[in-house]
Every structure is written in structure tokens, then in C-alpha cells.
Amino acid sequence: MQILGISSNLSFSQKTFADSLKLPYPLLSDFPHLKVIKIYGGLNTQWDSTTAQRYFFLIDRQGIVRGKWPGKVDQVFHSEPILKMAKEIADKH
Amino acid sequence: MAVSVIVALMAAVNAQTAERPALLELLKALNVSAYPSLMHPPEFNGLTADGQNVSLASLSCRVLVLSFWATWCLECRPEMAAFERLHREFSVKGLAVVGINAREGTTTIREYAKDLRLTFPLILDSTGKINSGYGVIGLPTTFLIGRDGRPVALAVGPREWDGKPGRALIGALLAERAVLKERR
């Protein structure tokens, strides 16, 4: 399984963030056009449309989106639903 | 596709620094993180506690130590004193030490500077815009930028910047030729 984080921040600030938290997975910068964020329907239109809403997507080996979970700002997202679905997909293969 | 882009970027990690193996060793000795060669530090422009205007562009051709700090940050205190020593010793050779405060007021910063006898510029960031642009989420966080404007090192947490490895690293960067290059 590969975890990727994507945000509208510059890759420079993402590096600081990743080093600060010692993240073991890559962060992708969607700055400045937020192309991927828009394609995935994750644009934060309620605020300023320059940032992404918090979302989690699960994509299988064939590139099919199997699940989408919204996250709330300042709330810990419980990863059990994603892990459960990932395990189900993995078990089928 | 995205993964292959990342792999390509990782392969390009610090191409400029990789050409200087001695510099890589110095980064390792100080336990600081290196940068991919394609990255550029974000431009900033701010007022110091003394009312001076300081921007990244105004510091071009100098080796820059950019320290993000706050008066309430206990680990910042000895580091700020060390930066002052480096500032006094190396500013004539082309070192610029700049502190960027995290959302505190002028009076608080001035009292702190007076207490520690700090003479290098301390920039106010009352909105947190500069901190956010650099992705700072913990203090102290320090960036080291070369004379050519390239980011050289990132340290999250305190380091002994005026110890032997820190001085050797700063000395090596000061010895690099100044290249006039537009910062992005």
C-alpha cells in the first residue's frame, strides 16, 4: 500500500511540515492550480478556494476509487474504515 | 505517474549540494536535512521590532540563517544566544542572521532582545503569514540559505549552530562564491 498526501501548499513548506512530523510517506504539492484537488472534488469552496477540504480516498491497484471519506478540520480522523476496506480489497487479490 | 515524479525528485535531491561532498558531510554532522535542488525559499517581507523593513530579496548574495522562534519557546533561548555570537563573528564575512517571530507583539520581542542582547534583525509575523509560507509548525525551526539563494539545510528543533559542525558548515557556505541570481 502506498500512502500519498496532497495539498495546495508549496513543496518547500511541505518539506518543513513533513520533517517536523517525520512523515514516512511523500507529500505532493498541487500548487498553484490545484488541478488534482479540483478533479477529486476536494476544493474548499466555503472558505477561499485556494485550499483543499480534508478528504481521504482509497484507490485500488486498477486505479479505481473504492472509497471517499471526508475529514473534519481540527478533528482526528479514525482510520479504521479505510483500513477495513483496504484489507477487504487486498484479500480479494 | 505521481509516484514516478516523486522518484525523479528524490533522485535530484540536492544535486547542487551533492556536487560538494564535503558540504553533505557537514550537514550530516549537524544532523540537518538537505533540500531537493529544485526548491526555492518563499519570498518574505516584514518589519523588524525596530521598524526596519527586511525582505528575502534584500539579503541576496549573503549566507542566510533564518530562525523561526518565540519568546515562550524555551529551546529557542540558547539558540538565539548562539545566533547572536555567529552574527557578531561572521556578519562582516557575509552572514545574515534573521529571526522570524511567531505572532508576538513588539514590546515582548524588544524586551527579549534586550535581555539576551540580540542585535540581529527580529521580524514580526503577527498574522503568521511568513511562518505558514515556510511550513513552520514547531519551534525552533531554522533554515540555512546559500549565497545563491538555494535552500541548503532545514533543522526542526535546536542545534548547536555555534559548535564545531555548525561553524564549519557556515564557514563552507561563506566560502562559496556569491552568484547574482534572482530569487524566486
Side-chain angles (χ1 to χ4, degrees), chain B residues 113-172:
Chain B
K114 193 179 170 190
D115 186 29
L116 288 184
R117 297 179 182 178
L118 304 179
T119 57
F120 60 86
L122 300 172
I123 296 177
L124 305 164
D125 188 21
S126 55
T127 61
K129 193 180 166 189
I130 305 174
N131 277 264
S132 169
Y134 276 74
V136 174
I137 57 168
L139 301 177
T141 295
T142 305
F143 300 87
L144 198 53
I145 297 167
R147 286 187 188 273
D148 55 0
R150 77 186 194 285
V152 175
L154 161 67
V156 177
R159 300 290 190 283
E160 285 189 37
W161 291 99
D162 71 337
K164 200 176 170 187
R167 283 170 174 271
L169 177 58
I170 288 168

Side-chain angles (χ1 to χ4, degrees), chain B residues 29-51:
Chain B
L30 193 59
N31 188 25
V32 293
S33 166
Y35 274 94
S37 57
L38 299 175
M39 281 193 188
H40 299 275
E43 181 55 58
F44 65 81
N45 196 328
L47 277 181
T48 67
D50 299 328

Side-chain angles (χ1 to χ4, degrees), chain B residues 73-86:
Chain B
C73 165
L74 292 178
E75 289 186 310
C76 297
R77 204 173 170 87
E79 206 172 59
M80 294 297 269
F83 287 143
E84 177 63 22
R85 288 191 287 274
L86 292 172

